[in-house]
Amino acid sequence: MFRPVKLTRVTIQTPEEYISEVMAILGDLRLLHLIRVEETHLGRLGYVAHVNTTLLGRYDALLVRINRLLEDLQFPRSSQVVGKTPRPDKVIFRLEEECTAVEKESLEVLEQRNKLRSTLFEHQTLIDRLRLLEPAGLELDRLYSLRYTTFHAGLIPEENLERLETSLGEIHHSLIPIDRKEGRVVLLAMALKEDEAILLRALKSAFWDPLELSTELQGSVTSILERLTGEEQQLEDDLAELENKCKALAHQFGGKLQQLREELLLGRQLLLAQEKFGQIDHTYLLTGWLPISLFDDLKQRVMKASSDKALVEQIDPAEVKEVRSGILSIPILFNNPALIRPFERLTTLYGTPTYEEVEPTAFLAITFLLLFGIMFGDVGHGAVLCALGYLVFKKMFRYLDYGIILMECGLSAIVFGILYGSVFGLEDLIPALWMRPMENISYFMKVSAGIGISMISTGLILNLVNILRQHRYGELLSASGLAGALFYWLIAGLGVRYFLIGPPSAFEILFAKAAGGLLFTLMILQRPVRQLLARRSRTKKGRFLVPGIGVTFLESLVEVLDELLRYLANTASFVRIAAFALAHAGLFMAVFTLADMVRSAQGSGFFYWLTLILGNVVIIGLEGLVVSIQTVRLEYYEFFSKFFRGGGKPFQPLFEEKGTP
Amino acid sequence: MLLAAARYGYANAKVRALRSRKLTEQDRHFLLTAKDLTSCLSYLATTSYSPCLADPEKTIPELPTLERQLAQPLLGHYAKVVYSLRGAKERELILALFRRFEAENLKIVLRALFANLNRDAVCHLLYPLGRLNDLDWDTLWSCKSVSELLEHLRPGIFGQSLQHALPQFEAQGRLFPLEMGLDFSCFRILRQAISALGSRYDRTVTEKILTLYIDILNISWVIRLKKDYGLRPEEILNYTLPEGSLISLACLNHLARAEDIAEFVNHLPPAFRHELSTIRDWAKLAQRLETYFLKALARIFSGQPFHIGIAVAYLLEKEIELANLITLLQAKARNLPVEEIGNRLSWQITESVYVPAG
Amino acid sequence: MQMKGCWIWLITVFFLLLPAMGLGQEAVPAASISPEVAKWGFMAAAVAVGVSSLGAGIAVALVGSAAMGALSERPEMAGRALIFLGLAEGIAIYGLIVAIMILGKI
């Protein structure tokens, strides 16, 4: 729970013939984090990542065909569950055959339908264009017979009309707007036949969209329109028939196509995973991280599948050369019991812990629930939160984690509600097992400061553990290491002693001064001294007062003062726990006062209970939000910042868990 | 004032900190007087452009590729400025400025499609858009024809203008209408973003910057379309941007029909006429206008600090700096003499000034 | 699992016992001053701390965000930026001092 799952580095070497089966086994096992062979030293031995591009090409082409079929048939794409993991090179043949069979039945009908659709569309556009000219009541044959003028009908964008007018200023012209449509103006442009070239040039540069009217169209625009509308009706009937046929096809083949698609995607994913393998001659090499507990199972299955021709080895992570030189980092696989697992989200939000660091999710979970409970303590509200969490847990699969967190927070709030003796704000129903917040304000604040001291101390201890684990011994003497922690405990100890027992004795003050002074000087001097020693060991010359030492000294002083002040600020910041718990109780008082005012105005009854219920809902929403944000802030900025460095790599299994939507 | 400070405190500080890394007087002097392209680039590697220049062991890439690589700091700064602004409307404005680079990339895609080149042949000419990119470039590159590409772009911001320009593209058989359509849509988006801003002061300042920019762009386009493309006045007028402030449509009409420089400058409004009265050369006209614009942008930084105009002005300044840098590098590659290069840049370099190091 | 359960209990007890040990101390009775004046004195102390904290909050927000903006591009300005931040935070302390002085007299 405090360490991630122990991993081991696994290397599998198999001859080419068995690679597909091995891949299928890996697909079933799932918990293998593959490393690109090229990144390891084996990559330099000549192992090359080799993806079977021709096979991948076939998969891609087939995927395009199936997707298009699904789209044309208008069948929704949804995920299906696939049973066994297939062998990619084998299963492609079956998939291609089945797809061809479906295509044979449906492609022809689909094509006919598409063609009819486009013909109908063209017909419709011609009708629309002629409709544009209808308001002018034009008679086309009369216009064509004009002797000295020429005319052009078309559309131009509205904003270009003014410029067109100005540009034709030199010639005789007439621009007659007929109608406005979709940001464009339907225009009839007329000019003298001798100026037609200028007119055309100007129209050309104004984004002219000519309405082609062939000279065959006789008669007035209205009569032409009637004729075309009649033809359209016939085309629409034909189209409806074809659409029905397509629907029948969709019904018949839709499910099957989806199934094919899922298998295709799975096979493709397996093929792509090959990218991380290495290949030399006819042997494949894979390497990755695997939980130790799964190693024996893997070895057995691979040996069986490859008839003992494969080679499976494991190395302890600490001995892997790349890890020691820092090129590769061991990924971490979280290892928490089910109740604490939802809090992993909060941890990864801040950063991913490295493999050697203490994994702080357990501490996060406990302190989160504790702080939440203290700030939100009420039996009734806790029960509501619990019920809400249970609902989310059961109904909404995607928010499972949040459901569990809500339930646990609710339970914590119930516990502290019992301790405060508060049920939906009523303080006389059950006795307070610990204290009532509103009546012991200063005591509560001292308790909060105490909680702050304990949390920060935990953070400091974890920091020390991390320092030791990561062998960063140089930091022990700094303000964020052992010296800082001891100083903090000294001052905190004095403070606690003052509040519990009374003013400290003269001896204790003297001891505190001496120890504090010693630690303070140590913290300030450690950086300049280390720098000095490093420089002396390199240059081997005398000279204590190296240039730049004064600056380092000053920097060190500022840094230490800053850290110590931050400890003080962090501890004081925990008093907000008391503040929010009191705010919670205060909000209850406000709601009751409001309800009493309503009661005195309207009498006991519907409105009184309505006010109470609404008030409680508001309190749960508001306080819940604020308290959770404040708790997360306290966790991150006061707790995590003491020891969490992050920079780790999360464990990436070979496939995602199937079945999650 | 307090609310404006709260809204723009972070963004203002960030933009000014970014601006502090601009190329200094000394930098420009040394870049201009460098012996050849290689020494110029090695000096450039010591300025804020160093991350995008490859390390000295690798060979220097071709100049077109290098030009796009040098745009990386600029586009990175766009992302930084966008993420430092708090309001969605303010971010929309900066994103609207950014869309111009997306439009440039779209032009490259269109040209490649038109000339049947595949992606690898031209990918070095694309701007590295980075995090602010929201077009799906893979889909766009996989289109087989221009109309398919425009179908994909239809729901986006460029969609409307491209659809409007499509008929002309099909009629003329060249990409020019589509490219102009892209430019128009960029400016339409900018105007929409400005009019959507909440604070009145923000709107006034950005409108001033934008209308000045549009005016200067219009003048440069008229000159370019006349001289380099040889278009007739009716066509030129339809390709100008609407809603400039100082230069009205009638004025542009006269400018498009002007035959020589003197007549051209005469028709400009007084503010520009002052600046440009002594120019005798078409190329120098555009460059002088850019200097005028740079001066106007610099003035914004000495006024009230808490508005969106600071971010806009900085990004435009940096873009102009980049354009000048690229002109400089191209001139160095052709080994032009120093005075001639100086004539083509809109930086105000007083060449005789030598600022000692330190 | 037994060891783990043991650990959990130990830690919980540690957290609860430490602070729960101890009894509170009674507050020292205040010096004599008429309750009317004391009422106003408490009010004044509260207002002093409240309003100065508000002012400090606004100041730190503005200075802090600008400092962050500048620091993100030029980390070498950290020293100067933090000095300005310290100036802004001091405003809260002034209010606190006044409140303590008032409460000291009551």
Side-chain angles (χ1 to χ4, degrees):
Chain A
M1 184 163 58
F2 299 112
R3 308 262 352 246
V5 173
K6 276 189 126 42
L7 299 174
T8 176
R9 174 80 170 266
V10 153
T11 312
I12 304 181
Q13 253 178 312
T14 97
E16 201 177 30
E17 308 83 80
Y18 302 112
I19 186 65
S20 299
E21 278 151 355
V22 170
M23 278 205 291
I25 295 176
L26 292 181
D28 270 341
L29 217 47
R30 290 186 205 288
L31 273 185
L32 177 68
H33 171 126
L34 279 180
I35 305 178
R36 297 181 72 99
V37 170
E38 295 183 321
E39 284 174 8
T40 67
H41 67 281
L42 295 164
R44 273 176 262 132
L45 285 176
Y47 281 93
V48 154
H50 175 71
V51 179
N52 192 342
T53 32
T54 28
L55 195 52
L56 196 60
R58 282 171 76 181
Y59 267 91
D60 282 335
L62 190 55
L63 190 62
V64 166
R65 280 161 64 189
I66 291 192
N67 276 342
R68 201 154 44 121
L69 273 175
L70 277 173
E71 211 178 293
D72 279 340
L73 289 176
Q74 282 155 344
F75 213 78
R77 290 192 206 181
S78 69
S79 312
Q80 308 261 339
V81 181
V82 176
K84 213 165 99 70
T85 16
R87 271 191 59 171
D89 49 353
K90 216 174 178 183
V91 87
I92 181 75
F93 288 99
R94 177 176 62 90
L95 293 175
E96 278 182 345
E97 200 182 295
E98 294 188 7
C99 180
T100 322
V102 173
E103 276 182 348
K104 219 163 39 166
E105 304 263 334
S106 37
L107 266 184
E108 201 186 312
V109 178
L110 285 174
E111 239 182 78
Q112 266 184 348
R113 182 194 63 174
N114 290 345
K115 213 161 62 165
L116 198 55
R117 270 195 186 159
S118 57
T119 325
L120 195 59
F121 183 67
E122 275 169 23
H123 219 81
Q124 189 65 36
T125 4
L126 184 57
I127 293 183
D128 286 337
R129 291 180 152 209
L130 287 176
R131 280 238 169 88
L132 290 176
L133 291 178
E134 216 184 340
L138 298 171
E139 290 193 13
L140 294 172
D141 32 4
R142 279 189 65 184
L143 280 172
Y144 278 120
S145 61
L146 289 170
R147 254 205 295 173
Y148 292 111
T149 50
T150 162
F151 83 102
H152 292 274
L155 300 117
I156 70 166
E158 263 186 86
E159 56 257 17
N160 293 3
L161 189 56
E162 202 187 339
R163 281 177 282 163
L164 183 62
E165 206 36 83
T166 324
S167 67
L168 289 173
E170 303 279 304
I171 63 172
H172 296 290
H173 67 280
S174 175
L175 296 175
I176 307 167
I178 298 179
D179 199 5
R180 264 165 224 277
K181 191 171 185 295
E182 289 167 10
R184 295 201 287 178
V185 176
V186 184
L187 200 64
L188 192 62
M190 309 184 70
L192 293 178
K193 280 208 172 145
E194 58 205 21
D195 290 328
E196 191 169 8
I198 300 184
L199 177 67
L200 278 177
R201 271 203 301 262
L203 289 175
K204 215 172 56 156
S205 54
F207 295 159
W208 177 247
D209 183 7
L211 285 177
E212 300 293 351
L213 300 165
S214 61
T215 39
E216 301 161 357
L217 292 173
Q218 294 290 335
S220 73
V221 175
T222 339
S223 59
I224 304 176
L225 272 177
E226 279 170 16
R227 181 168 53 93
L228 288 176
T229 332
E231 283 174 20
E232 193 189 358
Q233 189 57 36
Q234 174 64 27
L235 287 172
E236 275 186 358
D237 290 333
D238 291 335
L239 187 61
E241 217 184 288
L242 279 177
E243 291 274 10
N244 283 338
K245 274 200 210 161
C246 285
K247 278 212 186 68
L249 281 175
H251 237 36
Q252 196 182 2
F253 291 121
K256 192 168 178 53
L257 278 176
Q258 275 178 346
Q259 181 81 8
L260 286 180
R261 194 168 162 276
E262 278 312 307
E263 292 184 27
L264 192 63
L265 285 174
L266 188 57
R268 193 167 171 278
Q269 225 175 350
L270 268 176
L271 264 190
L272 281 178
Q274 268 190 340
E275 209 185 18
K276 301 219 177 104
F277 302 170
Q279 189 197 17
I280 212 179
D281 291 339
H282 297 287
T283 320
Y284 271 95
L285 178 75
L286 335 130
T287 174
W289 300 104
L290 188 73
I292 288 186
S293 47
L294 292 176
F295 177 69
D296 293 316
D297 185 24
L298 175 72
K299 182 158 184 171
Q300 210 181 21
R301 289 173 71 172
V302 170
M303 285 311 203
K304 198 169 76 156
S306 63
S307 1
D308 285 342
K309 292 222 190 94
L311 194 62
V312 183
E313 296 176 324
Q314 69 162 333
I315 318 177
D316 189 19
E319 291 167 23
V320 176
K321 202 166 75 170
E322 289 91 25
V323 169
R324 268 192 303 178
S325 58
I327 302 175
L328 277 182
S329 51
I330 311 178
I332 80 158
L333 182 60
F334 284 103
N335 179 23
N336 290 313
L339 284 180
I340 299 192
R341 212 171 294 155
F343 289 97
E344 284 166 16
R345 268 179 202 253
L346 281 176
T347 317
T348 39
L349 199 60
Y350 190 81
T352 319
T354 53
Y355 191 69
E356 304 88 26
E357 278 185 349
V358 173
E359 205 245 284
T361 314
F363 292 102
L364 175 73
I366 295 172
T367 47
F368 189 97
L369 293 174
L370 186 78
L371 293 175
F372 192 94
I374 294 185
M375 290 197 256
F376 201 77
D378 186 271
V379 174
H381 285 183
V384 169
L385 274 187
C386 226
L388 223 80
Y390 186 68
L391 256 169
V392 170
F393 175 66
K394 276 292 176 190
K395 291 296 169 58
M396 299 199 245
F397 190 69
R398 231 186 325 170
Y399 298 116
L400 184 78
D401 282 344
Y402 297 114
I404 299 183
I405 295 183
L406 264 178
M407 278 201 292
E408 291 177 351
C409 289
L411 274 173
S412 170
I414 290 179
V415 164
F416 276 96
I418 295 179
L419 285 178
Y420 294 155
S422 151
V423 181
F424 278 117
L426 300 164
E427 313 234 312
D428 33 12
L429 285 181
I430 57 175
L433 292 180
W434 181 19
M435 61 149 183
R436 298 213 179 269
M438 281 305 247
E439 294 160 16
N440 307 52
I441 297 184
S442 58
Y443 169 65
F444 203 177
M445 292 210 278
K446 287 177 205 149
V447 166
S448 321
I451 294 181
I453 293 178
S454 25
M455 264 182 75
I456 296 181
S457 312
T458 320
L460 290 173
I461 296 177
L462 287 175
N463 189 25
L464 288 173
V465 170
N466 278 349
I467 289 182
L468 290 174
R469 276 229 187 113
Q470 289 178 319
H471 309 292
R472 289 184 272 133
Y473 298 119
E475 278 188 32
L476 276 179
L477 282 181
S478 73
S480 51
L482 187 58
L486 286 174
F487 192 87
Y488 180 72
W489 282 324
L490 190 66
I491 304 294
L494 268 184
V496 168
R497 191 199 178 295
Y498 174 70
F499 281 115
L500 285 184
I501 304 180
S505 68
F507 167 70
E508 284 169 4
I509 296 187
L510 192 63
F511 174 71
K513 278 194 192 159
L518 178 67
L519 286 170
F520 193 66
T521 356
L522 262 178
M523 288 192 282
I524 295 182
L525 287 179
Q526 61 98 15
R527 194 139 75 97
V529 165
R530 268 197 301 163
Q531 201 183 35
L532 206 61
L533 287 174
R535 232 179 270 193
R536 280 198 71 179
S537 68
R538 261 185 287 148
T539 63
K540 301 268 189 239
K541 284 201 207 138
R543 289 193 67 188
F544 268 111
L545 296 168
V546 190
I549 199 78
V551 174
T552 323
F553 190 75
L554 209 59
E555 272 180 18
S556 192
L557 180 67
V558 170
E559 191 184 310
V560 167
L561 282 175
D562 176 45
E563 287 268 357
L564 294 179
L565 248 123
R566 212 168 328 138
Y567 283 144
L568 181 65
N570 287 350
T571 316
S573 154
F574 276 89
V575 177
R576 72 183 72 211
I577 302 178
F580 281 104
L582 292 169
H584 200 92
L587 276 171
F588 274 129
M589 284 199 332
V591 167
F592 282 132
T593 322
L594 203 63
D596 277 336
M597 287 200 317
V598 168
R599 186 181 12 204
S600 59
Q602 300 266 15
S604 254
F606 175 63
F607 282 110
Y608 174 68
W609 287 108
L610 187 67
T611 322
L612 273 183
I613 292 177
L614 275 180
N616 272 296
V617 166
V618 164
I619 296 180
I620 293 182
L622 187 66
E623 273 286 307
L625 190 66
V626 166
V627 162
S628 40
I629 292 176
Q630 289 300 324
T631 318
V632 168
R633 178 221 175 279
L634 282 174
E635 294 287 347
Y636 281 179
Y637 291 123
E638 269 86 29
F639 187 51
F640 272 2
S641 63
K642 296 278 175 291
F643 61 92
F644 197 137
R645 306 256 172 234
K649 217 160 71 131
F651 190 89
Q652 275 160 340
L654 200 52
F655 293 118
E656 298 294 320
E657 278 294 320
K658 285 272 180 192
T660 47
Chain B
M1 178 77 174
L2 203 61
L3 283 175
R7 268 223 312 263
Y8 288 114
Y10 180 78
N12 177 47
K14 193 149 182 112
V15 166
R16 285 187 197 257
L18 286 173
R19 191 164 182 257
S20 70
R21 298 226 184 271
K22 212 164 63 144
L23 291 178
T24 63
E25 190 70 43
Q26 191 187 0
D27 286 335
R28 294 185 220 154
H29 170 84
F30 283 122
L31 281 171
L32 186 60
T33 55
K35 277 196 322 276
D36 55 9
L37 185 59
T38 333
S39 59
C40 195
L41 285 174
S42 52
Y43 186 79
L44 198 59
T46 64
T47 64
S48 63
Y49 283 93
S50 59
C52 51
L53 286 172
D55 50 338
E57 282 106 49
K58 297 202 197 137
T59 52
I60 308 239
E62 290 295 318
L63 207 50
T65 325
L66 189 63
E67 289 172 19
R68 291 296 175 258
Q69 275 179 6
L70 286 175
Q72 220 171 355
L74 173 64
L75 296 171
H77 289 183
Y78 264 98
K80 284 186 186 176
V81 169
V82 166
Y83 290 131
S84 73
L85 286 170
R86 274 188 40 202
K89 298 204 193 105
E90 286 79 16
R91 285 187 183 188
E92 268 314 304
L93 179 59
I94 307 292
L95 282 174
L97 275 175
F98 181 76
R99 301 283 171 230
R100 293 175 301 145
F101 293 100
E102 276 185 6
E104 290 295 321
N105 275 4
L106 277 175
K107 285 185 197 169
I108 304 272
V109 176
L110 280 171
R111 287 179 199 161
L113 206 51
F114 203 61
N116 277 324
L117 294 169
N118 67 348
R119 185 177 190 173
D120 301 317
V122 296
C123 67
H124 59 281
L125 292 175
L126 295 171
Y127 280 103
L129 290 175
R131 281 184 290 167
L132 293 182
N133 174 40
D134 67 356
L135 282 177
D136 187 0
W137 292 99
D138 291 324
T139 331
L140 294 176
W141 276 107
S142 66
C143 292
K144 301 284 182 301
S145 72
V146 174
S147 33
E148 198 186 333
L149 185 68
L150 294 185
E151 259 322 295
H152 278 296
L153 289 172
R154 194 201 277 258
I157 34 182
F158 299 112
Q160 197 194 18
S161 292
L162 283 174
Q163 287 300 320
H164 290 176
L166 183 58
Q168 273 309 312
F169 161 68
E170 284 166 357
Q172 292 180 33
R174 54 182 190 147
L175 285 175
F176 190 67
L178 291 177
E179 296 187 0
M180 291 308 269
L182 280 173
D183 287 330
F184 283 150
S185 52
C186 288
F187 281 93
R188 196 196 59 220
I189 298 165
L190 255 177
R191 261 178 284 126
Q192 275 170 354
I194 291 181
S195 52
L197 283 178
S199 140
R200 195 151 53 104
Y201 188 77
D202 278 353
R203 258 200 307 258
T204 330
V205 167
T206 31
E207 253 172 36
K208 249 188 356 205
I209 302 178
L210 186 70
T211 48
L212 187 58
Y213 189 47
I214 290 181
D215 285 333
I216 291 181
L217 264 184
N218 271 344
I219 301 179
S220 332
W221 278 3
V222 166
I223 298 177
R224 215 173 55 168
L225 290 173
K226 247 161 109 70
K227 294 293 158 196
D228 298 337
Y229 285 67
L231 293 181
R232 307 298 299 278
E234 322 57 75
E235 294 179 279
I236 297 181
L237 201 55
N238 277 310
Y239 284 135
T240 56
L241 294 166
E243 290 186 33
S245 68
L246 293 172
I247 304 201
S248 64
L249 207 47
C251 183
L252 277 172
N253 197 8
H254 292 301
L255 287 176
R257 295 175 205 279
E259 288 307 324
D260 60 6
I261 289 203
E263 201 187 332
F264 193 87
V265 173
N266 255 339
H267 281 156
L268 288 172
F272 292 121
R273 220 181 308 158
H274 250 16
E275 265 306 300
L276 305 173
S277 49
T278 54
I279 308 279
R280 294 284 163 261
D281 182 7
W282 288 107
K284 230 165 168 333
L285 207 68
Q287 178 220 331
R288 200 52 106 68
L289 283 172
E290 210 167 61
T291 319
Y292 179 78
F293 189 53
L294 274 178
K295 277 199 278 206
L297 288 178
R299 267 201 295 274
I300 294 188
F301 281 96
S302 40
Q304 208 248 65
F306 296 123
H307 56 97
I308 191 77
I310 298 270
V312 171
Y314 167 67
L315 290 169
L316 287 174
E317 249 186 14
K318 186 127 183 99
E319 200 178 315
I320 296 179
E321 178 189 272
L322 181 68
N324 278 320
L325 189 62
I326 291 178
T327 317
L328 181 68
L329 290 175
Q330 281 173 342
K332 283 286 175 205
R334 285 161 40 197
N335 286 319
L336 294 179
V338 173
E339 310 86 51
E340 208 181 311
I341 305 181
N343 277 340
R344 293 171 182 225
L345 299 175
S346 60
W347 290 337
Q348 292 160 299
I349 306 181
T350 40
E351 212 219 286
S352 52
V353 169
Y354 170 66
V355 181
Chain C
M1 197 55 211
Q2 294 287 26
M3 267 313 285
K4 291 179 183 172
C6 205
W7 270 110
I8 297 182
W9 278 116
L10 268 176
I11 293 165
T12 322
V13 163
F14 173 53
F15 278 129
L16 281 180
L17 269 190
L18 193 53
M21 257 186 338
L23 310 160
Q25 295 201 322
E26 290 306 311
V28 179
S32 60
I33 201 170
S34 83
E36 278 298 313
V37 178
K39 184 172 67 177
W40 286 111
F42 287 135
M43 185 81 83
V47 168
V49 171
V51 177
S52 68
S53 299
L54 250 158
I58 297 177
V60 169
L62 295 177
V63 171
S65 60
M68 281 289 106
L71 276 185
S72 58
E73 289 303 319
R74 315 237 0 217
E76 57 266 24
M77 296 189 60
R80 271 178 284 171
L82 286 176
I83 289 177
F84 285 116
L85 210 52
L87 279 177
E89 205 178 5
I91 300 177
I93 306 292
Y94 304 151
L96 189 65
I97 293 176
V98 168
I100 291 179
M101 283 169 55
I102 293 177
L103 288 176
K105 290 248 196 304
I106 299 181

